[in-house]
Amino acid sequence: MKITDIKVIVCSPGRNFVTVKIMTDEGLYGVGDATLNGRELAVVAYLEEHVIPCLIGRDPHQIEDIWQYLYRGAYWRRGPVTMCAISGIDTALWDIKAKAAGMPLYQLLGGASRDKVLCYTHAQGTDIAECVDAVGAKLDQGFKAIRCQTGIPGLPNVYGTGKYAVTTNAADDAMPREEMWSTPKYLNYAPKLFEAVRNAHGEDVHLLHDTHHRLTPIEAARLGKALEPYNLFWLEDTVAAELQEGFRLIRQHTTTPLAVGEVFNTIWDARLLMEEQLIDYIRMTVVHAGGITPMRRVMDFASVYGVRTGCHGAMDMSPICLGANLHLDLWAPNFGIQEFSGYLPEILDVFPSAWTLNDGNLHPGEAHGHGVDIDEDLAAKYPYQRAYLPVNRLEDGTLWHW
Ligand code: EZ4
Ligand code: CO
């Protein structure tokens, strides 16, 4: 088999997505997600100018060699732009291989280790009462695990709450929005949310929480301790994890399970965290990790240290990325949970998907390949719009982690 053509499709059905489509001389094609939220066109240029010309005519079955060629062969390794570009190619190649084999992708990975994939969804409110109600609504929909985020008194537009919690509206975000943050206000308020949610909804629901890299290690330790009575499934992204050693301090102080990794690009970003068992869940995801090939390696490495998986699955991971993640989730012996924030209906129209959601669990489906496609005609009706993630400042104006 030979690669005859590779297209990069950019569309914005409510938010921007970059999709790679690889065509072959045997008529089979595969698709992959290459979306990097807020820096989409950098990945497009990387693919069109620097990757695609090298791949035309190659055998799409040589996935490992193509991955190494793009990773090692560039000399300049790692980084989100590079790894999203490689991911788009790698995911599309696995899609082709599984279609050629006449199997759903999870069969090629080693088969299903479970019947269904537990997922967690999001509940949010501008205050605690609203979030408690939102948790109730998600429970009514059948979800078993729920990430809870609340606004903080005195702070407008806190991460994960308000109208921007659901999706990025490209038109509103043509320049980066500015949000405001105060760790002291947050640390005093957040534990009260979980007390209220447990009081209202009991012990059975799995509760999760995301601090979006905003704390220092000792602040994270304090929060972890404060949340221990509420038995969280995990506390996510407490600190900026460039300094992996920072987790040693958090770990010494709290039994609240820790998850991190949505901004990691390679296994080396998480090596120490896994080797020293400083985290309980690794949150890397197919699109940002460089594809299915390295994501499988991360999952296997994590399993050696008893670290479980919790793939990032916010709406900026396209339905293709979610589909690919779900095949890995169904296979991985050390699967933990899959994030599922859901999609706008127009996104699901553009990306016809074999995966299903049933009573709080996902399944990748039995379609050959990874089971997600792109409707190119429909995609063309939603042209790219420049959009940024917000930036975050402390009350005195200091630029902070968003
Ligand atoms: O802010 O994917 O757990 N989910 C998250 C996400 C990230 C976005 C960034 O593009 O933290 O909502
Ligand atoms: Co997060």
Side-chain angles (χ1 to χ4, degrees):
M1 206 188 297
K2 285 203 182 329
I3 296 173
T4 50
D5 193 15
I6 305 180
K7 280 193 226 178
V8 184
I9 303 154
V10 184
C11 64
S12 191
R15 57 161 314 104
N16 290 320
F17 292 109
V18 177
T19 306
V20 171
K21 182 169 180 177
I22 301 183
M23 274 70 67
T24 68
D25 59 349
E26 295 186 14
L28 286 178
Y29 67 88
V31 296
D33 183 21
T35 306
L36 182 59
N37 196 1
R39 295 291 186 271
E40 295 87 355
L41 298 191
V43 182
V44 175
Y46 192 106
L47 283 162
E48 288 182 341
E49 182 63 22
H50 307 296
V51 170
I52 292 171
C54 307
L55 300 183
I56 305 302
R58 293 184 60 136
D59 177 0
H61 279 304
Q62 288 188 303
I63 299 176
E64 186 69 50
D65 184 67
I66 290 175
W67 195 90
Q68 300 294 340
Y69 182 87
L70 294 176
Y71 182 78
R72 296 186 181 177
Y75 186 64
W76 310 107
R77 300 178 186 191
R78 308 166 65 166
V81 175
T82 296
M83 300 313 281
C84 284
I86 298 177
S87 179
I89 300 290
D90 184 82
T91 306
L93 292 176
W94 277 104
D95 194 23
I96 291 170
K97 191 184 274 298
K99 284 176 178 170
M103 293 178 183
L105 175 61
Y106 72 81
Q107 295 290 9
L108 284 188
L109 297 172
S113 298
R114 56 194 55 78
D115 303 329
K116 52 195 178 180
V117 172
L118 176 68
C119 72
Y120 71 93
T121 189
H122 298 176
Q124 49 107 0
T126 53
D127 60 19
I128 287 174
E130 224 179 274
C131 186
V132 168
D133 288 349
V135 171
K138 298 290 180 177
L139 285 170
D140 291 345
Q141 291 169 32
F143 288 102
K144 313 283 183 255
I146 301 174
R147 189 192 85 161
C148 307
Q149 305 293 135
T150 176
I152 311 292
L155 296 178
N157 302 326
V158 170
Y159 167 80
T161 66
K163 76 168 184 160
Y164 295 107
V166 181
T167 181
T168 298
N169 178 322
D172 283 9
D173 287 329
M175 289 300 286
R177 258 182 307 118
E178 302 234 345
E179 296 186 351
M180 193 193 284
W181 182 249
S182 157
T183 297
K185 286 187 172 125
Y186 166 77
L187 286 177
N188 288 335
Y189 195 68
K192 298 185 181 114
L193 167 66
F194 288 91
E195 184 183 14
V197 173
R198 281 285 178 226
N199 284 340
H201 300 296
E203 294 296 323
D204 286 345
V205 55
H206 296 305
L207 300 179
L208 301 84
H209 184 58
D210 190 352
T211 59
H212 230 240
H213 308 112
R214 292 165 181 207
L215 308 181
T216 64
I218 200 68
E219 289 164 350
R222 175 183 152 195
L223 180 63
K225 276 178 103 157
L227 294 175
E228 278 171 21
Y230 313 115
N231 189 23
L232 260 60
F233 188 95
W234 79 36
L235 180 58
E236 171 176 334
D237 289 348
T238 49
V239 298
E242 285 99 330
L243 183 66
Q244 295 182 40
E245 289 83 349
F247 275 81
R248 289 180 183 146
L249 192 148
I250 309 170
R251 201 60 157 171
Q252 282 164 14
H253 288 286
T254 181
T255 57
T256 293
L258 303 173
V260 75
E262 66 182 49
V263 302
F264 295 175
N265 308 126
T266 75
I267 197 165
W268 292 280
D269 295 334
R271 182 183 61 79
L272 184 108
L273 294 173
M274 296 194 279
E275 281 178 355
E276 294 193 10
Q277 300 169 53
L278 299 178
I279 55 171
D280 301 281
Y281 297 91
I282 179 70
R283 294 219 350 100
M284 292 174 67
T285 199
V286 164
V287 62
H288 300 126
I292 291 162
T293 300
M295 197 59 218
R296 183 179 54 173
R297 211 155 270 147
V298 166
M299 289 172 156
D300 269 337
F301 188 79
S303 77
V304 172
Y305 299 100
V307 174
R308 288 188 283 170
T309 68
C311 291
H312 187 202
M315 206 186 302
D316 49 310
M317 273 69 341
S318 89
I320 297 174
C321 177
L322 179 73
N325 278 335
L326 288 172
H327 287 270
L328 287 158
D329 293 337
L330 199 68
W331 153 74
N334 55 327
F335 167 74
I337 200 166
Q338 169 68 50
E339 185 178 17
F340 179 70
S341 67
Y343 295 100
L344 303 172
E346 49 270 48
I347 296 176
L348 293 173
D349 291 344
V350 170
F351 296 97
S353 301
W355 52 259
T356 50
L357 170 68
N358 216 316
D359 206 25
N361 293 284
L362 292 159
H363 192 284
E366 300 298 333
H368 298 170
H370 57 51
V372 187
D373 206 343
I374 182 165
D375 180 333
E376 289 184 68
D377 294 334
L378 200 53
K381 298 197 171 122
Y382 299 102
Y384 167 78
Q385 285 182 280
R386 188 173 68 205
Y388 290 96
L389 284 166
V391 296
N392 199 24
R393 291 186 190 276
L394 302 183
E395 290 166 293
D396 69 356
T398 306
L399 196 91
W400 201 244
H401 314 276
W402 175 70

